[in-house]
Amino acid sequence: MAKRALITGITGQDGSYLAELLLDKGYDVFGITRRSSTNSFDRIAHIIDRITLLSGDLLDEHSLVSAIREAKPDEIYNLGAQSFVPTSWSQPVLTAEFTAVGVTRLLEAIRIAKPDTRFYQASSSEMFGKVQETPQRETTPFYPRSPYGVAKVYAHWITINYRESYNLYSCSGICFNHESTRRGLEFVTRKVSDSVARIKLGLATEIRLGNLDARRDWGDARDYVRAMWLMLQQQQPDDYVIATGTTRSVKDLVMAAFKHAGLDWQKYVVVDQKFMRPAEVDVLVGDASKARRVLGWHPTISFEQMIGEMVDADIARLRKLSG
């Protein structure tokens, strides 16, 4: 019998790649989607006839219980959240409801409806915030610097709490930044690739960015969803840092994207104070040696390849739009 998986956030970047991966492995894939005035299924349009979408909401525990009873999943991946850091400053309470308390609702639903389900929680490198050691590993103390980071710390600890209190198979993957052609336009990597594409096609003349010196550990989403799956295949549930171990600045990102398009970045980039965060996270770089050792995981797609693909995809998309 085929394994069954239920994914929250299936319409997002990670959810769509994870759904593809699980379909390739022969799973029956279910996704929870929220009723909203604009349903965006762009990222899963090519597989929508191969998955089952169920109605549910992280704000409503009853709907989660119903979805779990219907899907009867062997594995649940919680990738649904209010996941954009700047929005968490303007909507801190909503961010807490989705990203923090929503995880408790989902764990309670699992406990009620199917306690033998294996559960994956998407934790975040933003939990480290004002970093207490470099590189960051599973034992590094958290010091979040945004309402999003604070909410993710709660979600991380409640996942551990349910594992220890109720013997649930629940894991957290502390994922560092991961990108792809399906990344939302509000994220800096995609903002850069989209702007480079517009400049290349003569649709724009500049890109405005905040702190060019902020450094991140950027990997490819396709590598990261493979790590999520591997976590739920182990005998014992545990938490893992998923990262490349290499740190790059926003300036490095900009240079790679413009270079791929054959353009001189210095002619087009404008630093704008408007895009500076109230509390900046300085250097995030992960130590994924535990994931390498236990899961046998390592990244396979280079930073340059990933950024190049993003620029190419945005050029193709914009060409199509402009007819």
Side-chain angles (χ1 to χ4, degrees):
M1 239 173 75
K3 269 190 171 179
R4 300 161 77 90
L6 177 63
I7 303 169
T8 72
I10 195 168
T11 59
Q13 168 187 259
D14 292 7
S16 63
Y17 282 122
L18 179 63
E20 281 177 13
L21 176 83
L22 296 174
L23 287 169
D24 287 346
K25 293 186 180 296
Y27 279 65
D28 291 335
V29 176
F30 297 80
I32 290 181
T33 59
R34 214 156 39 94
R35 265 288 309 136
S36 68
S37 52
T38 54
N39 276 330
S40 175
F41 296 135
D42 303 353
R43 295 185 183 95
I44 55 169
H46 61 297
I47 53 169
I48 204 150
D49 57 340
R50 298 172 61 201
I51 60 182
T52 305
L53 295 178
L54 304 173
S55 183
D57 196 314
L58 287 169
L59 301 184
D60 177 23
E61 188 182 319
H62 179 74
S63 71
L64 301 174
V65 171
S66 298
I68 292 169
R69 284 189 171 141
E70 189 168 340
K72 303 181 185 66
D74 300 292
E75 299 169 4
I76 293 178
Y77 296 86
N78 182 36
L79 310 181
Q82 189 300 98
S83 61
F84 189 44
V85 175
T87 300
S88 78
W89 293 104
S90 57
Q91 300 184 351
V93 177
L94 184 70
T95 299
E97 284 290 351
F98 271 120
T99 308
V101 187
V103 182
T104 314
R105 294 189 190 99
L106 188 49
L107 286 163
E108 271 295 288
I110 290 169
R111 199 168 69 83
I112 292 163
K114 200 171 186 299
D116 62 340
T117 296
R118 295 189 166 200
F119 175 70
Y120 171 83
Q121 165 59 17
S123 284
S124 166
S125 58
E126 290 284 334
M127 301 189 306
F128 295 121
K130 189 174 178 180
V131 299
Q132 302 301 291
E133 66 174 347
T134 299
Q136 294 88 52
R137 47 183 68 88
E138 291 80 7
T139 53
T140 303
F142 300 134
Y143 195 141
R145 297 272 278 169
S146 66
Y148 171 76
V150 173
K152 280 289 187 184
V153 170
Y154 174 96
H156 182 81
W157 279 111
I158 201 72
T159 299
I160 292 170
N161 189 261
Y162 271 64
R163 178 168 77 217
E164 294 177 351
S165 304
Y166 300 114
N167 207 25
L168 294 187
Y169 190 111
S170 54
C171 298
S172 281
I174 307 173
C175 290
F176 281 66
N177 293 61
H178 47 286
E179 318 297 318
S180 74
T181 57
R182 297 180 194 171
R183 189 59 144 153
L185 280 163
E186 67 272 24
F187 292 89
V188 69
T189 45
R190 186 69 196 291
K191 179 180 176 179
V192 169
S193 66
D194 178 69
S195 297
V196 168
R198 287 175 188 279
I199 291 165
K200 182 72 176 175
L201 297 174
L203 302 171
T205 56
E206 65 175 28
I207 171 173
R208 303 184 85 84
L209 293 165
N211 182 7
L212 293 185
D213 298 321
R215 302 184 73 85
R216 294 290 182 274
D217 182 331
W218 277 300
D220 190 286
R222 293 164 291 185
D223 281 331
Y224 286 48
V225 299
R226 185 165 45 84
M228 297 171 191
W229 175 77
L230 283 167
M231 277 179 226
L232 298 196
Q233 312 315 309
Q234 307 308 306
Q235 270 195 302
Q236 297 299 324
D238 207 346
D239 307 317
Y240 299 88
V241 163
I242 305 299
T244 69
T246 303
T247 173
R248 291 180 173 84
S249 66
V250 174
K251 188 174 171 183
D252 294 332
L253 158 68
V254 166
M255 288 167 70
F258 276 97
K259 183 183 176 187
H260 184 79
L263 299 168
D264 177 2
W265 71 275
Q266 286 168 301
K267 292 180 181 172
Y268 306 102
V269 176
V270 180
V271 174
D272 189 336
Q273 292 301 315
K274 187 176 83 177
F275 296 111
M276 298 291 187
R277 288 186 189 177
E280 182 56 88
V281 171
D282 305 315
V283 182
L284 287 173
V285 56
D287 174 1
S289 52
K290 180 177 169 183
R292 288 171 189 265
R293 190 178 70 249
V294 180
L295 306 177
W297 178 86
H298 57 88
T300 61
I301 298 162
S302 73
F303 178 74
E304 291 73 20
Q305 179 191 338
M306 175 182 78
I307 298 302
E309 284 179 10
M310 291 173 72
V311 171
D312 290 344
D314 278 326
I315 289 172
R317 178 180 59 85
L318 291 164
R319 276 204 177 117
K320 200 172 166 186
L321 282 176
S322 55

